Amino acid sequence: MSNLACDNNISVVQELLTNQGVTSLDVLLSLPSTLTGATEDNTDDTEGSTIMLAAGTKKGNTVLFNLDVGKLHHPASSAIDVIISSQFLKDEGFQQKPYPIYSMRFFKTGDGKVGLACGGGDRFLTIWQVDDNVDEAESSSFVDVDWRVHAALGPHTGWVKDIAFDGLKDRLYSIGCNCIEAWGIDENTTARWRHLKKRAIESSPEGATLSSDLLCLTMANTLDSGGSTSETTLLSAGVDGRIHVWSNDLTSKGDQQPLRSMRAHDGRVNAIATARLSTRTLFFSVSNDGTLQCRLFKSDNEDYFVDSYSTLCFGDDDMRIISMSCVTLAATLDCDERVLVALGTADGQFGIAEVRQSSSLDKNLPISMKLKIPLVRIDDGSIHAIVYVPRAGGDGEPSSVKKLLFAIGHSNGLSLISC
């Protein structure tokens, strides 16, 4: 259980799954006419929304929560409903085994199908999807519906440590050891998913270690003039401290190797993420070397990243940052647009960095990055996962001054914290 009552403007709102190690999280934001994974559309505009939180545990349990965020500060109210709690579920011939769930990703395909992909220590990618008979117009929240296991994809070459979804191409990516697997929709089978391609990273003397195992994935979206995604790029990172940029064209032989690989950290890269700041795409990475790095990603640049980057160093040789979540906050009368980066460490500490546009002397990287909320201990164990939980201003609180809500998965359970 969290040992934090209130510190550095951080307070615990709710404790869930007490004494269960929570190893993965994701959030689904359902609007009246759309449904998106909040990790894919990480902004703070949630008026009229329903929010679902998925948690995966060390013992293989998948739990879905329905959050009424406006009621969370009133413990007597029913702010949280458990939708699914499936220990070692058997369904449609698939069996979830008692292995840790290391990764989770909500997704919505072009034909309107909503799903949750779970990567496990059993080396499989388990696909939960809403029953085909459910009409989105009749149940836009996807709360009071039947979620079922539709496929178990694999086996992978190792534990499925991370998952990414390309909404432009309706494609899932998953990693196991040093391999990336690509999965696409197959309309000719009841499982709906088929394997597209396996790609692998070889060890390199440029890496911090000889191992080239991958640990994390993310997508970088390029927007057109109308603000819609026109291009997607897959990025990965892992044990040897390198970052890799991949082509999403799986038809040519040349895409077996990354478009670019570069040494970024002196230790294993545990999490990567992207966020928009004005017209720019920012790429973040955290590592066992105790640093948060921010780079400017440019899909039209042959190197994909500008040479300059910003670093926050936490100054402790034993500081390992192992989880991260980003959110872009819109400009207000009192504050410019900014990106907040929530960080979790191997020894149970949580903090938030802030990134803003800046008239820096470095024209290649016109941003400033600083620690907004210093690291504070949340749990005695490790913080394995963090997700930003979007919320509308509740309880009469103006949205311009509303507090931020994060879900934190740690060795002793799940904490919802406000800051």
Side-chain angles (χ1 to χ4, degrees):
M1 179 178 291
S2 167
N3 57 16
L4 172 71
C6 183
D7 196 1
N8 289 314
N9 297 317
I10 300 176
S11 60
V12 175
V13 176
Q14 192 100 17
E15 299 275 14
L16 301 165
L17 303 178
T18 305
N19 297 324
Q20 298 187 51
V22 174
T23 47
S24 56
L25 296 167
D26 201 17
V27 166
L28 182 70
L29 172 63
S30 172
L31 301 176
S33 59
T34 63
L35 191 99
T36 60
T39 50
E40 303 270 339
D41 183 21
N42 52 348
T43 64
D44 61 340
D45 183 9
T46 64
E47 296 294 338
S49 64
T50 297
I51 296 171
M52 287 181 16
L53 173 67
T57 73
K58 186 176 181 179
K59 293 186 177 181
N61 198 10
T62 300
V63 185
L64 289 183
F65 299 98
N66 175 31
L67 302 184
D68 186 343
V69 181
K71 296 181 179 180
L72 281 174
H73 290 283
H74 301 283
S77 66
S78 57
I80 300 177
D81 298 319
V82 176
I83 304 168
I84 294 177
S85 181
S86 58
Q87 190 89 23
F88 322 142
L89 180 86
K90 292 183 178 180
D91 188 14
E92 300 289 336
F94 302 113
Q95 180 177 1
Q96 282 193 293
K97 301 175 183 178
Y99 293 98
I101 298 174
Y102 290 113
S103 52
M104 289 183 147
R105 184 71 63 223
F106 278 113
F107 62 88
K108 181 182 179 182
T109 56
D111 60 0
K113 302 299 182 184
V114 178
L116 173 65
C118 300
D122 60 353
R123 301 187 297 138
F124 279 86
L125 183 65
T126 303
I127 307 296
W128 291 73
Q129 290 193 262
V130 174
D131 190 278
D132 288 340
N133 295 324
V134 173
D135 184 352
E136 180 178 0
E138 296 177 356
S139 182
S140 62
S141 69
F142 287 95
V143 173
D144 300 320
V145 296
D146 188 12
W147 288 79
R148 304 177 68 85
V149 175
H150 277 236
L153 308 178
H156 293 62
T157 53
W159 299 343
V160 184
K161 296 291 286 184
D162 207 0
I163 306 162
F165 178 68
D166 183 347
L168 195 63
K169 297 181 181 295
D170 279 351
R171 189 179 294 164
L172 279 166
Y173 294 99
S174 52
I175 52 177
C177 290
N178 66 323
C179 296
I180 299 178
E181 311 286 356
W183 311 90
I185 294 176
D186 187 350
E187 299 294 348
N188 297 320
T189 68
T190 56
R192 287 178 47 81
W193 294 93
R194 62 187 179 93
H195 186 257
L196 299 176
K197 201 157 200 172
K198 177 195 291 285
R199 295 183 286 190
I201 285 290
E202 302 301 328
S203 60
S204 167
E206 295 181 0
T209 68
L210 291 178
S211 173
S212 60
D213 283 2
L214 298 172
L215 300 173
C216 42
L217 294 170
T218 195
M219 302 298 303
N221 296 337
T222 300
L223 305 184
D224 59 23
S225 58
S228 300
T229 301
S230 60
E231 182 183 358
T232 54
T233 306
L234 177 68
L235 300 107
S236 67
V239 171
D240 63 2
R242 291 187 295 163
I243 295 169
H244 312 284
V245 182
W246 298 88
S247 168
N248 276 349
D249 181 6
L250 303 182
T251 59
S252 63
K253 294 182 179 180
D255 65 4
Q256 287 294 106
Q257 297 301 315
L259 298 170
R260 186 185 181 191
S261 294
M262 60 181 245
R263 172 79 172 269
H265 289 270
D266 292 328
R268 59 194 286 157
V269 181
N270 295 306
I272 56 178
T274 58
R276 300 287 298 183
L277 184 62
S278 184
T279 60
R280 299 180 175 92
T281 298
L282 303 181
F283 174 84
F284 298 94
S285 56
V286 294
S287 168
N288 275 7
D289 64 10
T291 65
L292 162 67
Q293 292 185 6
C294 174
R295 288 176 163 81
L296 180 59
F297 178 83
K298 301 186 72 173
S299 61
D300 58 353
N301 185 316
E302 63 179 7
D303 292 327
Y304 292 93
F305 296 100
V306 300
D307 292 335
S308 302
Y309 62 92
S310 182
T311 300
L312 274 181
C313 182
F314 292 87
D316 187 339
D317 291 339
D318 296 326
M319 180 64 67
R320 294 179 291 145
I321 306 174
I322 62 174
S323 54
M324 173 174 56
S325 178
C326 301
V327 55
T328 300
L329 300 182
T332 66
L333 293 176
D334 302 322
C335 191
D336 295 334
E337 183 185 38
R338 61 208 186 278
V339 175
L340 298 185
V341 185
L343 307 169
T345 72
D347 63 351
Q349 297 188 72
F350 171 86
I352 295 180
E354 181 183 71
V355 181
R356 296 173 182 257
Q357 296 188 84
S358 169
S359 55
S360 167
L361 293 177
D362 186 349
K363 295 181 180 180
N364 289 324
L365 193 68
I367 64 167
S368 64
M369 184 165 66
K370 66 177 182 179
L371 192 61
K372 182 176 178 62
I373 297 180
L375 293 175
V376 60
R377 193 168 304 282
I378 297 290
D379 186 68
D380 294 331
S382 297
I383 296 180
H384 301 291
I386 305 173
V387 291
Y388 168 68
V389 180
R391 56 168 294 186
D395 308 321
E397 180 185 42
S399 60
S400 60
V401 298
K402 66 191 178 188
K403 289 190 174 183
L404 301 177
L405 191 66
F406 289 92
I408 299 179
H410 48 75
S411 300
N412 294 298
L414 170 62
S415 298
L416 295 178
I417 66 167
S418 176
C419 56

